[in-house]
Amino acid sequence: MPSTKAYTLFLSPLFSPSLPVLHAMSGLMLLTLIPTVLLGFTAFLSAAELQRFEHAAKADGSLSFLVVGDWGRRGAYNQTEVALQMGIMGEKLDIDFIISTGDNFYEGGLNGVDDPAFYESFTRIYTAPGLQKQWYNVLGNHDYRGDVEAQLSPVLREMDSKWLCLRSFIVNTEIAEFFFVDTTPFVNKYFLEPGDHVYDWSGILPRKSYLSNLLEDLDMALKESVAEWKIVVGHHTIKSAGQHGNTVELNLQLLPILQANNVDLYINGHDHCLEHISSSESPLQFLTSGGGSKAWRGDVAWWDPKEMKFYYDGQGFMSVQITQTEVAVVFYDVSGEALHKWSRTKQISSAVL
């Protein structure tokens, strides 16, 4: 069992007892922060200091969710059409939650908690009953060009209770554990060559310490995990044939940790496409779901066909279904057509027998 230590969570800025974190959405969102003394429960934090959430899987132990990224354009560039198909699949699969891989609001994040872009790009777009589940969101580079604290603020969750955005955090469903990683601060060019862009680095500096602590905490949390499936989510690519290509900094700093800890999937956005790359070095799969709105037609580089399993330069999203012994991934286009399917099975470890 992972080592744990008790702590008191003082609900400031990011958490408030009034927030709908417990049995929200009439039971649709079983998001429960491992309960705090302030909420009348007991809180625990793993030795890794990443905030941790428990999200119950279905009664049969299975889990299903959707993944979309690079979407926030007030419905333009087929964002509304992708949302429609997500709603249909969300109901069909009886999803448990949705993951956003970042770049939640274009072009420059939110300018405050009262920015109408939150309603116009999120609440007004994802209205289908099948999408009224918990959304777990990471930040993208475009989000860092606005007021980052606005996206992290409890005010947004009071406006739309399905919204949850943090820099880095963990969601545990027992059958699978999800590790959400803030990847934007890893990328050197945002600091050294920002061009005309202004990034909000409040809470990040000194950068070296921030990244060192994040990597140490992630490595510890992955080592402690006893989940059958380990899934890491970030905005930036590790491996991609799209416009941005590989993120060098993540290949050097993040990838070795994922490989050393037997991570099953790395899920990202950033490249505006749908993509599946396998690894010749480990069982790790690289899945890009960045087609939530504007896509980049024809912008693809050559990749070893032994590793490139699928690439689509249009809009769409991804579904994932998980049981103790199998994970199944499907990519869909803007019309809801299934473009690519992949699955993997594994034997149940002795720890759960």
Side-chain angles (χ1 to χ4, degrees), residues 181-310:
V181 179
D182 183 20
T183 59
T184 300
F186 283 89
V187 182
N188 291 329
K189 70 178 181 180
Y190 302 143
F191 293 85
L192 303 178
E193 301 173 11
D196 296 330
H197 304 302
V198 176
Y199 292 88
D200 177 7
W201 298 128
S202 58
I204 299 300
L205 304 177
R207 180 189 177 206
K208 183 176 180 180
S209 296
Y210 177 83
L211 295 179
S212 176
N213 291 336
L214 173 54
L215 290 171
E216 181 180 349
D217 291 350
L218 176 64
D219 186 41
M220 178 76 72
L222 285 167
K223 282 181 167 58
E224 292 181 334
S225 176
V226 295
E228 280 298 314
W229 303 95
K230 299 179 186 180
I231 299 171
V232 175
V233 179
H235 175 65
H236 289 77
T237 62
I238 291 182
K239 294 182 181 294
S240 176
Q243 183 185 76
H244 292 115
N246 297 350
T247 304
V248 175
E249 296 87 347
L250 296 186
N251 275 269
L252 292 175
Q253 300 176 70
L254 181 60
L255 180 57
I257 292 175
L258 307 192
Q259 292 173 331
N261 288 287
N262 300 312
V263 170
D264 297 286
L265 308 176
Y266 177 73
I267 298 175
N268 62 273
H270 198 44
D271 271 343
H272 295 190
C273 63
L274 305 176
E275 180 180 28
H276 174 199
I277 293 177
S278 65
S279 172
S280 59
E281 303 167 340
S282 73
L284 178 60
Q285 305 293 307
F286 302 92
L287 305 172
T288 298
S289 185
S293 58
K294 187 177 183 179
W296 298 323
R297 289 288 187 186
D299 200 345
V300 56
W302 182 89
W303 199 278
D304 184 346
K306 294 180 181 178
E307 293 187 346
M308 177 60 73
K309 304 302 180 184
F310 167 73

Side-chain angles (χ1 to χ4, degrees), residues 28-40:
L28 289 177
M29 292 186 294
L30 294 176
L31 169 66
T32 53
L33 182 65
I34 290 187
T36 71
V37 172
L38 291 179
L39 292 177

Side-chain angles (χ1 to χ4, degrees), residues 117-189:
F118 180 72
Y119 174 79
E120 295 169 359
S121 290
F122 181 65
T123 301
R124 183 178 68 86
I125 302 299
Y126 302 105
T127 58
L131 301 181
Q132 305 313 301
K133 306 294 179 76
Q134 186 64 54
W135 283 60
Y136 295 110
N137 305 271
V138 292
L139 297 167
N141 52 297
H142 281 268
D143 299 311
Y144 265 96
R145 295 175 188 173
D147 181 352
V148 170
E149 291 300 323
Q151 290 200 46
L152 309 181
S153 172
V155 173
L156 296 190
R157 291 196 292 283
E158 293 170 356
M159 295 167 60
D160 192 327
S161 58
K162 62 180 179 287
W163 177 265
L164 177 69
C165 183
L166 299 174
R167 296 184 192 271
S168 298
F169 58 104
I170 299 171
V171 175
N172 178 42
T173 68
E174 291 191 5
I175 187 175
E177 200 159 12
F178 298 80
F179 304 83
F180 293 79
V181 179
D182 183 20
T183 59
T184 300
F186 283 89
V187 182
N188 291 329
K189 70 178 181 180

